[in-house]
Amino acid sequence: MTTVTSPSPIISMRGVTKRFGEFSALKSIDLDVAPGEVVVLLGPSGSGKSTLIRCINLLETYDEGDVVVDGIRVEEGRNLRQVREEVGMVFQAFNLFPNLTVRDNVALGPVRVRGLSWQAAREKAQALLARVGIGEQAEKYPIQLSGGQQQRVGIARALAMEPRILLFDEPTSALDPEMVGEVLDVIRTLAGTGTTMLLVTHEMGFARKVADRIVFMEAGEIKEIASPDRFFTEPSSERARAFLDAVLNH
Amino acid sequence: MDLVTTFFNWPIFVRSLPLLLDGLWRTIALGFLSIVLGLAGGLMLALGRMYGPRFLKAVIIAYVDVFRALPVLVWLVIVYYALPFVGISLSPFASAAFALTTVSSAYTAEIYRAGIDAIPRGQFEAAQAIGLSAFDLMRDVVLPQAIRIVIPPLTNNSINVMKDTALASVVAMPDLLKQATQAQALAANPTPLIGAAFLYLLLLLPLVRLVAIFEKRLGRSGRR
Ligand SMILES: Nc1ncnc2c1ncn2[C@@H]1O[C@H](COP(=O)(O)OP(=O)(O)O)[C@@H](O)[C@H]1O
Ligand SMILES: [Mg+2]
């Protein structure tokens, strides 16, 4: 599913511009993502990757342009909740709720947003936790888990809302090296299940394996969009080449 | 007359005790009511200040500043002696409860705000990302975490409110202090005042201890 010309993209960004004061973090971004597609965002630190994906569920507001998710314009108002129900997010710092057990971290969304009973939501949470390999940790509090386990809770929490789109912002960057694999394994099983994914990562090998398309950003602009094979073997932009040199050869 | 018969006169203390206890209950009722209303009012003010429209924010900031600057006694005297001139005439108890609540709300508002401010942005973002409403975000995620932070300063504030109830004696409310001065005049002996002081300590020392324990515990978990 590497096509850019899908008839109806599930995410469509047109001329999206974001400023922090005088500084433009995003400069007229155009990007379409097809349903089920896995898009990996690459680029140097500060290039606007986080800002871009955070515009999709409006954790960041944008100043110009349009972000449309499944036909709904992403903006403050009644429709925002609908967008957020469809878009799950996994954070670099996990952002689990420390006041809730692992199971209730996962169950909270379904109860409050989907209207499930606590019992039904907890059963669902238990199944999801088992699916990401930490079913036996359900009664614990987040602080009692390792980083890798916590991030898997983060993924289960996002999955509990049955989102059509999953956003990952450097999901393994805060992990000790020995825990990166377990989290990437979970993410890999999600790719190709029909869930649309936008993923920011510095794990180049993983990006190449899992991505349908690579989006390369620099200084708030998309400099290149390519298939992973093409991007990693013969990037067309000078910038991308320099970036790959820097991250792959050290 | 020696020290004991002057300040610690047992028969006089026993005779004044019913009056003192009567005052003590009124002090507790006034303090409790003002504390509870101040806790609720402050939360409303804090949420209004943090998430309300701009106009409301400005009003709340002004309110909080004014009531933190104004001496409680001055405000209480205004409520009791000045408001009747505009047709608002409250009983001593209602005046005192109103004055203490309005002031306490200003302080608790700042405490809640600091507590909510201390919750990392990522918590708000994670809650928003799963689609929680602003209400659920507060109820399920932010306030349960903030409450641990604000309990010691809120308890401290409650102690101050309880102590400030003694100001109500100025507007002729028969609280513990007022009853004690009454009893002192009656007996021509200061023992009832000492007795009142002991009753205040009996009421407030446990709370003071409690704050110390809270702070110690919080300090310990903070170091983790
Ligand atoms: N809240 C903010 N206030 C000011 N500048 C910001 C803020 N968030 C991000 N930026 C700036 O926007 C640029 C893009 O940031 P970000 O999207 O986080 O980059 P990336 O995720 O690619 O590292 C950076 O220069 C960053 O300093
Ligand atoms: Mg980033």
Side-chain angles (χ1 to χ4, degrees), chain B residues 85-169:
Chain B
F85 286 93
V86 292
I88 304 171
S89 192
L90 301 175
S91 71
F93 185 90
S95 300
F98 179 73
L100 290 175
T101 297
T102 42
V103 172
S104 174
S105 298
Y107 282 94
T108 56
E110 288 299 279
I111 294 171
Y112 285 120
R113 194 168 68 93
I116 293 171
D117 264 348
I119 305 305
R121 247 180 87 84
Q123 292 291 305
F124 291 81
E125 293 184 347
Q128 286 166 346
I130 57 175
L132 290 195
S133 65
F135 178 83
D136 290 335
L137 177 153
M138 276 294 147
R139 174 183 60 178
D140 295 322
V141 176
V142 175
L143 291 182
Q145 295 179 59
I147 208 79
R148 302 161 94 102
I149 302 170
V150 300
I151 278 181
L154 285 181
T155 311
N156 233 334
N157 182 69
S158 301
I159 292 169
N160 287 335
V161 174
M162 196 53 96
K163 279 164 41 172
D164 284 345
T165 57
L167 297 171
S169 57

Side-chain angles (χ1 to χ4, degrees), chain A residues 43-65:
Chain A
S45 174
S47 57
K49 307 179 296 293
S50 297
T51 308
L52 189 154
I53 66 169
R54 289 158 57 86
C55 285
I56 294 168
N57 61 355
L58 210 68
L59 287 187
E60 211 73 77
T61 56
Y62 47 98
D63 300 300
E64 284 167 36

Side-chain angles (χ1 to χ4, degrees), chain A residues 190-237:
Chain A
L190 299 173
T193 59
T195 307
T196 309
M197 298 188 3
L198 254 79
L199 172 70
V200 178
T201 184
H202 293 301
E203 301 289 334
M204 294 300 150
F206 181 72
R208 185 167 184 173
K209 258 180 273 170
V210 81
D212 293 316
R213 270 194 301 162
I214 302 284
V215 170
F216 175 73
M217 292 185 71
E218 195 188 62
E221 293 178 284
I222 293 179
K223 291 285 198 253
E224 181 164 353
I225 300 181
S227 72
D229 283 340
R230 190 180 165 82
F231 182 82
F232 283 103
T233 52
E234 39 176 344
S236 56
S237 66

